[in-house]
Amino acid sequence: MPGNLSRRSLLKGAGAAAAGTATGTAGCLSLVGSGSGKSLTVSSKNFTEQFILSQISIQMLKSAGHQVESKTGLGGSPANFKAVKNGDSTLYWEYTGTAWSSILGKNSVISDPEKLYRKVDSAYNSKYNIDWLERAPFNNTYVIVANPSWANEHGIKDLNDLAKHVKSGNTDFSVAMNPEIKRREDAWAGLPDTYNFAQKADGIETVSMKLGLAYKAVKSGETELGFGFNTNPKIKKFGLQVLEDPKNHFIIYNPAPNVRKKALDDSMRKTLNEPTSKLDTETMRSLNAKVSIDGKDPKQVAKNFLKEHGFV
């Protein structure tokens, strides 16, 4: 899902600037009414997963009697954050890791998902008057995917197993990744230190390619391992094995609706929170697959998901 990479690339340099330049003076442009039946605006970033998540919120709000304007595909996190902060949008879905590192400009790593969520929520409430609603269970972070045959042959189920394999002198395998992942401390560059195989890491071949191509490279055996994003549907399509990350090296990316506080009331909060707990990793991969692989409309995919679980 190339859009995910764009998300991180775009935010790395631009997020903090957006936070600093947003003025917050536009008032509550997206809120016309009060109580039920408000006029609201929902925006999103411009990749598959965001189109689905935003449609889930749009359809839940419409079902509750609100008038909703769609600004889906507005841009990256800086554009959506600024829109909500200024009142040009009522809400969009953001990821905890993105908020922590790019919007808030924090460098420390918090491996506990709930602790990270609470810190982000607290900072947004106090600094920006934006509330984080409940976070979804899925975590769209970096993952290392493995060719199942190769992983099974060497008894590798997670990154601890991989480190043990490497430390035993086995470096005759390759890993697909793009140049950004290769140099990032929270991706490949810092992984050998986290899992204590730095002394052998130079012997591992890295193969440079776009992440969208890495899944197929691993499936075909062109490389044994590859970097990807946890909710990319190609993991399921190609039957790849995700190597679990027991030391939580990769930053956590739990998503949640970010809502302008002036527009938020208890009824809206309840409405928007209802479907969130059903969005686990397998569910999100499946929903993404229906759009990016099967070519279905995100609006219809979101509608079917909500109907399936009895939310609309």
Side-chain angles (χ1 to χ4, degrees):
M1 190 160 54
N4 293 66
L5 179 60
S6 298
R7 173 187 85 201
R8 291 177 171 91
S9 302
L10 180 64
L11 285 174
K12 189 173 179 62
T21 55
T23 63
T25 57
C28 197
L29 299 179
S30 60
L31 173 62
V32 175
S34 60
S36 62
K38 296 177 179 177
S39 292
L40 307 165
T41 301
V42 176
S43 60
S44 80
K45 306 184 210 185
N46 50 4
F47 55 90
T48 297
E49 187 166 287
Q50 284 276 310
F51 291 131
I52 297 170
L53 294 174
S54 59
Q55 280 297 329
I56 287 173
S57 292
I58 287 171
Q59 294 182 42
M60 288 297 292
L61 290 169
K62 285 184 175 179
S63 180
H66 301 289
Q67 300 294 316
V68 184
E69 178 186 358
S70 171
K71 287 188 177 179
T72 56
L74 179 65
S77 281
N80 282 278
F81 170 75
K82 186 175 181 179
V84 171
K85 189 172 182 290
N86 289 354
D88 297 327
S89 176
T90 310
L91 72 93
Y92 82 107
W93 285 71
E94 186 54 278
Y95 301 82
T96 50
T98 303
W100 184 247
S101 63
S102 298
I103 301 295
L104 296 172
K106 304 291 186 180
N107 294 320
S108 57
V109 176
I110 299 175
S111 57
D112 183 321
E114 181 63 18
K115 184 178 180 180
L116 175 61
Y117 166 77
R118 292 191 181 283
K119 282 187 171 292
V120 168
D121 181 39
S122 176
Y124 268 58
N125 270 278
S126 62
K127 295 179 68 174
Y128 307 125
N129 285 316
I130 296 173
D131 196 57
W132 280 65
L133 301 190
E134 291 183 7
R135 63 186 172 95
F138 81 81
N139 174 17
N140 192 11
T141 187
Y142 290 127
V143 290
I144 292 181
V145 294
N147 181 291
S149 296
W150 181 85
N152 186 58
E153 178 184 351
H154 297 288
I156 297 172
K157 296 181 180 178
D158 59 27
L159 294 179
N160 277 330
D161 294 334
L162 179 66
K164 184 178 179 181
H165 183 70
V166 173
K167 286 191 286 187
S168 298
N170 301 301
T171 58
D172 56 340
F173 63 89
S174 57
V175 190
M177 65 188 77
N178 65 27
E180 179 187 346
I181 283 178
K182 186 175 181 178
R183 66 174 178 265
R184 283 183 62 155
E185 287 295 320
D186 62 346
W188 176 254
L191 191 70
D193 286 332
T194 301
Y195 281 92
N196 194 29
F197 63 90
Q199 290 184 341
K200 301 286 187 179
D202 288 344
I204 301 170
E205 180 186 5
T206 59
V207 180
S208 182
M209 67 176 67
K210 293 180 179 179
L211 288 198
L213 302 176
Y215 307 95
K216 191 172 183 178
V218 174
K219 170 63 177 177
S220 68
E222 179 182 347
T223 65
E224 286 76 15
L225 302 174
F227 267 80
F229 293 110
N230 197 29
T231 57
N232 192 295
K234 291 179 182 176
I235 293 174
K236 184 174 183 178
K237 177 183 179 181
F238 294 138
L240 304 179
Q241 179 177 333
V242 174
L243 300 186
E244 298 300 324
D245 175 22
K247 293 186 177 181
N248 295 320
H249 171 73
F250 300 124
I251 295 175
I252 300 160
Y253 288 88
N254 290 137
N258 283 203
V259 186
R260 182 174 169 78
K261 287 177 69 174
K262 286 185 178 179
L264 185 62
D265 59 30
D266 289 343
S267 176
M268 274 183 61
R269 182 188 300 276
K270 181 180 179 182
T271 296
L272 291 166
N273 278 339
E274 274 192 85
T276 302
S277 65
K278 300 296 183 183
L279 293 167
D280 58 23
T281 299
E282 284 303 314
T283 298
M284 202 65 239
R285 280 180 192 159
S286 177
L287 296 177
N288 285 336
K290 289 174 182 176
V291 175
S292 63
I293 295 177
D294 300 339
K296 295 184 178 178
D297 183 352
K299 184 177 181 179
Q300 189 60 48
V301 169
K303 185 176 183 179
N304 291 344
F305 163 78
L306 293 172
K307 281 188 172 181
E308 178 185 347
H309 292 283
F311 296 125
V312 295

